[in-house]
Amino acid sequence: MLSVRGLAKAYGDVHALRGADLDVAEGQIVALLGKNGAGKTTMISIIAGLLRPDTGTVTIDGFDAQRDLDRASKLLGIAPQDTGIYGVLTVRENLEFFANLAGVEKGVRPGRAESVAEQLGLTELLDRRASKLSGGEQRRLHTGCALVHTPKLLMLDEPTVGADVATRAQLIDFVRATANKGSAVIYTTHYLNEVEALDADIVIIDNGQILARGTRDELVEQHRLQGLEFTLTETLAEATRAELGAVEVGTHTYRIDQDLAVGALVAKLGDRSDHLVSVEAVRPDLESVFLAVTGDRLEEVSD
Ligand code: ATP
């Protein structure tokens, strides 16, 4: 459904994308996982035709998205990070307005609006002005507006930021249902638990480059993560850290992502092992995959 090749984009000296490739098939959910500034929004904006790349191509359902923007844009739905709904319009009017923009025929729009509202738990609110909705309800409406025309490619940029637990669960269910009906979905998030709940194909992007792709289990397997996390009473010197291949993951807390027995760690630490407070085996999880792939922790966005 989507094929992206060699996408590069610089803003002055900042290389937001450095030659990224991405394929998403019908019915597939791809979770784009990356820290702040990794290049996720830039990539989505280029795919949606909102931004021109310096180099690279985007093909949506066989159409060159840059040359055939009109046709390509009818095939896609995007919910950017900032909610773009109109406060003075009702829920129904917002949904119909976005359906109209996407080229949905007039007679079909009311039915589409009601169906999307039902799936997102907004039926009771159809005739309420969007400005009078709660934050979570506005988030749901924002997502609904992106897919009221049943796009073949749906892109959601951090759709759950600021949403409560119930809204999150509802959005995740909705995204899965949308993919089950055949849409290709790109979903950016900082929340690893959402990636797991979506059962998505995970793409790790860092510093404008795609570094890894696979299901959760494939990535954990590929990176054979059975490391150790240990805490000391003091900071470990840079040289020792490098020697151990340890990454600082908290105050005086370090992580080694390689097979290493506790005894071997103690031996490597030598006299410094007197300062050990705790050592534990790292459970293989997505966080450790991210750390192994990028050399950094994924900062979780607090809301
Ligand atoms: P976040 O998770 O914070 O939304 P992101 O992965 O979506 O981050 P982008 O917004 O794509 O990242 O930004 C990639 C890089 O490009 C960052 O270094 C950012 O500061 C820079 N950047 C993005 N937009 C612009 C712009 N309009 N002008 C200059 N630099 C920009």
Side-chain angles (χ1 to χ4, degrees), residues 11-12 14-17 34-43 51 81 157-158 188 190 205 301:
Y11 302 99
V14 179
H15 290 272
L17 285 179
K35 289 173 294 184
N36 290 125
K40 305 181 293 294
T41 302
T42 301
M43 179 167 236
L51 196 64
Q81 277 178 30
D157 200 358
E158 299 185 24
T188 82
H190 291 261
I205 179 167
V301 172

Short mmCIF file of all heavy atoms in Angstrom, two decimals, residues 11-12 14-17 34-43 51 81 157-158 188 190 205 301, ligand 1:
data_model
loop_
_atom_site.label_atom_id
_atom_site.label_comp_id
_atom_site.label_asym_id
_atom_site.label_seq_id
_atom_site.Cartn_x
_atom_site.Cartn_y
_atom_site.Cartn_z
N TYR A 11 16.46 20.48 7.55
CA TYR A 11 16.02 21.84 7.84
C TYR A 11 17.30 22.59 8.17
O TYR A 11 17.82 22.45 9.28
CB TYR A 11 15.11 21.89 9.06
CG TYR A 11 13.85 21.05 8.98
CD1 TYR A 11 13.80 19.79 9.59
CD2 TYR A 11 12.71 21.52 8.33
CE1 TYR A 11 12.64 19.04 9.55
CE2 TYR A 11 11.56 20.76 8.29
CZ TYR A 11 11.52 19.52 8.90
OH TYR A 11 10.39 18.77 8.86
N GLY A 12 17.88 23.30 7.22
CA GLY A 12 19.18 23.94 7.45
C GLY A 12 20.20 22.86 7.75
O GLY A 12 20.38 21.93 6.97
N VAL A 14 19.99 20.76 10.24
CA VAL A 14 19.39 19.61 10.94
C VAL A 14 18.91 18.58 9.92
O VAL A 14 18.00 18.86 9.12
CB VAL A 14 18.19 20.06 11.82
CG1 VAL A 14 17.56 18.87 12.52
CG2 VAL A 14 18.64 21.10 12.82
N HIS A 15 19.52 17.41 9.96
CA HIS A 15 19.11 16.35 9.03
C HIS A 15 18.02 15.52 9.69
O HIS A 15 18.29 14.61 10.47
CB HIS A 15 20.32 15.48 8.66
CG HIS A 15 21.27 16.23 7.79
ND1 HIS A 15 21.17 16.25 6.42
CD2 HIS A 15 22.31 17.04 8.12
CE1 HIS A 15 22.12 17.03 5.93
NE2 HIS A 15 22.82 17.53 6.94
N ALA A 16 16.78 15.89 9.40
CA ALA A 16 15.64 15.23 10.05
C ALA A 16 15.45 13.82 9.53
O ALA A 16 15.08 12.91 10.27
CB ALA A 16 14.37 16.05 9.83
N LEU A 17 15.70 13.60 8.24
CA LEU A 17 15.63 12.25 7.65
C LEU A 17 16.86 12.06 6.79
O LEU A 17 17.24 12.96 6.03
CB LEU A 17 14.37 12.08 6.79
CG LEU A 17 13.03 11.90 7.49
CD1 LEU A 17 11.92 11.77 6.45
CD2 LEU A 17 13.02 10.69 8.42
N GLY A 34 10.36 6.21 18.15
CA GLY A 34 11.59 7.00 18.17
C GLY A 34 11.49 8.09 19.22
O GLY A 34 10.39 8.49 19.61
N LYS A 35 12.64 8.57 19.64
CA LYS A 35 12.67 9.63 20.66
C LYS A 35 12.18 10.94 20.05
O LYS A 35 12.00 11.04 18.84
CB LYS A 35 14.12 9.83 21.13
CG LYS A 35 14.64 8.71 21.96
CD LYS A 35 16.12 8.91 22.24
CE LYS A 35 16.91 8.80 20.97
NZ LYS A 35 18.34 8.89 21.12
N ASN A 36 12.06 11.95 20.89
CA ASN A 36 11.75 13.28 20.38
C ASN A 36 12.81 13.67 19.36
O ASN A 36 14.00 13.50 19.61
CB ASN A 36 11.79 14.32 21.53
CG ASN A 36 10.64 14.15 22.50
OD1 ASN A 36 10.85 14.01 23.68
ND2 ASN A 36 9.44 14.16 22.01
N GLY A 37 12.34 14.16 18.23
CA GLY A 37 13.28 14.65 17.22
C GLY A 37 13.87 13.58 16.32
O GLY A 37 14.76 13.86 15.52
N ALA A 38 13.39 12.34 16.43
CA ALA A 38 13.96 11.24 15.64
C ALA A 38 13.65 11.37 14.15
O ALA A 38 14.36 10.82 13.31
CB ALA A 38 13.45 9.90 16.16
N GLY A 39 12.55 12.05 13.82
CA GLY A 39 12.17 12.22 12.41
C GLY A 39 10.81 11.67 12.06
O GLY A 39 10.42 11.64 10.90
N LYS A 40 10.04 11.26 13.07
CA LYS A 40 8.74 10.61 12.83
C LYS A 40 7.75 11.55 12.15
O LYS A 40 7.14 11.21 11.13
CB LYS A 40 8.14 10.10 14.16
CG LYS A 40 9.05 9.20 14.95
CD LYS A 40 8.43 8.71 16.24
CE LYS A 40 8.18 9.78 17.29
NZ LYS A 40 9.39 10.40 17.84
N THR A 41 7.59 12.74 12.74
CA THR A 41 6.62 13.68 12.18
C THR A 41 7.02 14.13 10.78
O THR A 41 6.18 14.28 9.89
CB THR A 41 6.46 14.91 13.12
OG1 THR A 41 6.04 14.41 14.39
CG2 THR A 41 5.44 15.90 12.60
N THR A 42 8.33 14.32 10.58
CA THR A 42 8.81 14.72 9.26
C THR A 42 8.43 13.65 8.24
O THR A 42 7.94 13.96 7.15
CB THR A 42 10.35 14.92 9.30
OG1 THR A 42 10.63 15.92 10.27
CG2 THR A 42 10.89 15.35 7.95
N MET A 43 8.63 12.40 8.60
CA MET A 43 8.33 11.32 7.67
C MET A 43 6.83 11.28 7.34
O MET A 43 6.44 11.22 6.17
CB MET A 43 8.76 10.00 8.28
CG MET A 43 8.45 8.84 7.39
SD MET A 43 9.31 7.41 7.97
CE MET A 43 10.21 6.94 6.59
N LEU A 51 4.74 18.19 3.23
CA LEU A 51 6.12 18.66 3.24
C LEU A 51 6.84 18.00 2.08
O LEU A 51 6.60 16.83 1.77
CB LEU A 51 6.73 18.17 4.57
CG LEU A 51 8.01 18.75 5.09
CD1 LEU A 51 7.83 20.23 5.41
CD2 LEU A 51 8.41 18.01 6.37
N GLN A 81 -0.28 15.66 15.27
CA GLN A 81 -0.23 15.75 16.74
C GLN A 81 -1.20 16.79 17.29
O GLN A 81 -1.87 16.56 18.27
CB GLN A 81 1.19 16.12 17.18
CG GLN A 81 2.10 14.92 17.25
CD GLN A 81 3.51 15.28 17.65
OE1 GLN A 81 3.75 16.24 18.36
NE2 GLN A 81 4.45 14.51 17.19
N ASP A 157 -0.33 10.46 14.42
CA ASP A 157 0.90 10.94 15.05
C ASP A 157 0.65 11.15 16.54
O ASP A 157 0.01 12.12 16.94
CB ASP A 157 1.34 12.25 14.37
CG ASP A 157 2.82 12.56 14.61
OD1 ASP A 157 3.48 11.78 15.32
OD2 ASP A 157 3.31 13.56 14.08
N GLU A 158 1.12 10.22 17.33
CA GLU A 158 0.94 10.25 18.79
C GLU A 158 -0.51 10.55 19.17
O GLU A 158 -0.79 11.55 19.84
CB GLU A 158 1.90 11.26 19.41
CG GLU A 158 3.34 10.87 19.14
CD GLU A 158 4.36 11.74 19.83
OE1 GLU A 158 4.03 12.35 20.85
OE2 GLU A 158 5.49 11.81 19.34
N THR A 188 2.55 6.60 15.34
CA THR A 188 3.76 6.98 16.09
C THR A 188 3.39 7.14 17.56
O THR A 188 2.31 7.61 17.90
CB THR A 188 4.40 8.30 15.60
OG1 THR A 188 3.71 9.40 16.20
CG2 THR A 188 4.36 8.42 14.09
N HIS A 190 5.25 7.15 21.86
CA HIS A 190 6.38 6.98 22.77
C HIS A 190 6.05 5.88 23.77
O HIS A 190 6.86 5.58 24.62
CB HIS A 190 6.60 8.26 23.60
CG HIS A 190 7.11 9.41 22.81
ND1 HIS A 190 8.42 9.76 22.79
CD2 HIS A 190 6.47 10.29 22.03
CE1 HIS A 190 8.58 10.82 22.03
NE2 HIS A 190 7.40 11.16 21.55
N ILE A 205 13.17 4.27 14.65
CA ILE A 205 13.81 5.36 13.91
C ILE A 205 14.62 6.20 14.89
O ILE A 205 14.17 6.47 16.01
CB ILE A 205 12.74 6.19 13.15
CG1 ILE A 205 13.37 7.35 12.39
CG2 ILE A 205 11.63 6.68 14.04
CD1 ILE A 205 12.43 8.01 11.37
N VAL A 301 6.99 10.07 27.35
CA VAL A 301 6.39 11.39 27.52
C VAL A 301 5.39 11.29 28.66
O VAL A 301 4.54 10.43 28.66
CB VAL A 301 5.66 11.82 26.25
CG1 VAL A 301 4.88 13.10 26.47
CG2 VAL A 301 6.65 12.00 25.12
P1 ATP B 1 8.61 14.20 18.40
O1 ATP B 1 8.51 12.83 19.00
O2 ATP B 1 9.18 15.18 19.35
O3 ATP B 1 7.37 14.67 17.74
P2 ATP B 1 9.77 13.53 15.79
O4 ATP B 1 10.42 12.18 15.79
O5 ATP B 1 8.41 13.63 15.23
O6 ATP B 1 9.79 14.11 17.27
P3 ATP B 1 10.53 15.56 13.88
O7 ATP B 1 9.46 16.53 14.30
O8 ATP B 1 10.37 14.87 12.59
O9 ATP B 1 10.79 14.49 15.03
O10 ATP B 1 11.91 16.37 13.88
C1 ATP B 1 13.13 15.82 13.38
C2 ATP B 1 14.23 16.87 13.54
O11 ATP B 1 13.96 17.97 12.66
C3 ATP B 1 14.34 17.46 14.93
O12 ATP B 1 15.69 17.69 15.20
C4 ATP B 1 13.58 18.78 14.82
O13 ATP B 1 14.09 19.75 15.73
C5 ATP B 1 13.86 19.17 13.40
N1 ATP B 1 12.77 19.96 12.80
C6 ATP B 1 11.49 19.55 12.61
N2 ATP B 1 10.76 20.52 12.02
C7 ATP B 1 11.59 21.56 11.81
C8 ATP B 1 11.45 22.87 11.22
N3 ATP B 1 10.29 23.27 10.70
N4 ATP B 1 12.53 23.66 11.20
C9 ATP B 1 13.72 23.27 11.70
N5 ATP B 1 13.93 22.05 12.26
C10 ATP B 1 12.89 21.21 12.31
#
